[in-house]
Amino acid sequence: MNIVLFGPPGSGKGTQARRLEKELGWAHVASGDLFRDHFKRRSDLGRMAKRYMDKGRLVPDEVTIGMLKERLLRPDVSAGVLLDGFPRTMAQAEALDRLLAGLRRKVDAVLHIRVSDEELVRRLSGRLICRECQISFHKLSKPFRSCPTDRCQGEFLYQRKDDDPATVRKRLKTYEEQTEPLLDYYDRRGVLVEVAGEGTVEEVFQACLGALEKLDRKARVGDQTAC
Ligand code: AMP
């Protein structure tokens, strides 16, 4: 399946995508992580993207689409993909459709993780991230200094530059103006599923799994009817 995890910054898309990746074995492709990885490797693309990211603005479509195209052509994506942070504009959504069609695939489901604005600001302004594994923590609920997971130890957690309150407000406005309109696009296609995103990580995870199972059952019934 090709799944888009959709929602504003701080809605938990990355956290849920990592859980779903482990559970289902589909590749987790996060556009923000791809940009940060480019920046870490000091590529021209990374340096250019950082200028937009630090201001809470979207990286231009042609750059983002090119980067995603390259990623989606890698073999690990063939079993299924969990897209996190892409698409964010109508041009990106249309490019994704064309790209998947070329691979005889399509967007099977868009999980819209709903979280209120107050909760988003609370989460993002206290968010700490591990540089190695990208797992996020909160200053109040998980006050670690270094990443406590088994996978990577030692690296200090850091606050993303674009998680400061002014940039968070800008990112939320960008989401409202440029990304939220895509909900209508996917709703008309019948692939949009709403998921309540303010429960515990486990509750939201179960809701995502439940939504995917329901879609899978619906698709099977559709296939049988077609036969
Ligand atoms: P994220 O890690 O998803 O919160 O993304 C961090 C930043 O990367 C965003 O605020 C944008 O500046 C940039 N970015 C990530 N994904 C995209 C995208 N699909 N289109 C344009 N810019 C993006």
Side-chain angles (χ1 to χ4, degrees), residues 128-135 137 147 152 155 157-158:
L128 294 172
I129 312 241
C130 170
R131 250 183 240 285
E132 289 300 316
C133 65
Q134 304 298 324
I135 289 182
F137 303 90
C147 185
C152 79
E155 177 72 61
L157 301 177
Y158 79 111

Side-chain angles (χ1 to χ4, degrees), residues 39 45-55 59 161:
F39 184 71
L45 190 154
R47 271 197 283 263
M48 187 274 269
K50 180 102 175 19
R51 290 204 297 273
Y52 290 89
M53 294 166 83
D54 284 350
K55 292 188 189 122
V59 179
K161 196 161 177 242

Side-chain angles (χ1 to χ4, degrees), residues 7-10 13-14 30-36 49-61 63-65 67-68 84-89 92 124 127 129 134 160 162-163 167 171 174 178-179:
K13 301 186 295 292
S31 42
D33 288 350
L34 293 177
F35 284 131
R36 282 184 286 276
K50 180 102 175 19
R51 290 204 297 273
Y52 290 89
M53 294 166 83
D54 284 350
K55 292 188 189 122
R57 291 173 54 196
L58 294 184
V59 179
D61 280 336
V63 176
T64 309
I65 291 167
M67 180 181 74
L68 259 289
D84 159 11
F86 184 90
R88 263 173 152 106
T89 64
Q92 291 181 16
L124 290 171
R127 182 161 77 167
I129 312 241
Q134 304 298 324
R160 267 171 51 173
D162 58 349
D163 277 348
T167 316
R171 286 163 66 203
T174 303
Q178 300 192 54
T179 308

Side-chain angles (χ1 to χ4, degrees), residues 74-184:
R74 290 209 214 134
D76 64 319
V77 170
S78 60
V81 65
L82 298 153
L83 285 165
D84 159 11
F86 184 90
R88 263 173 152 106
T89 64
M90 193 53 80
Q92 291 181 16
E94 287 167 357
L96 177 64
D97 285 343
R98 283 195 298 276
L99 237 155
L100 289 177
L103 301 167
R104 295 174 180 274
R105 295 161 66 165
K106 61 178 172 41
V107 172
D108 295 295
V110 175
L111 301 185
H112 175 209
I113 306 180
R114 285 187 102 97
V115 176
S116 68
D117 277 2
E118 305 85 79
E119 176 63 8
L120 292 174
V121 173
R122 189 197 72 80
R123 285 185 188 181
L124 290 171
S125 53
R127 182 161 77 167
L128 294 172
I129 312 241
C130 170
R131 250 183 240 285
E132 289 300 316
C133 65
Q134 304 298 324
I135 289 182
S136 59
F137 303 90
H138 195 278
K139 277 180 189 165
L140 298 177
S141 52
K142 290 184 181 166
F144 305 111
R145 284 196 70 209
S146 57
C147 185
T149 57
D150 297 339
R151 207 152 31 125
C152 79
Q153 287 161 346
E155 177 72 61
F156 284 99
L157 301 177
Y158 79 111
Q159 178 160 39
R160 267 171 51 173
K161 196 161 177 242
D162 58 349
D163 277 348
D164 73 275
T167 316
V168 164
R169 277 195 296 277
K170 176 84 185 91
R171 286 163 66 203
L172 292 176
K173 193 157 180 281
T174 303
Y175 172 79
E176 235 174 67
E177 289 171 358
Q178 300 192 54
T179 308
E180 222 166 30
L182 297 187
L183 288 173
D184 213 38

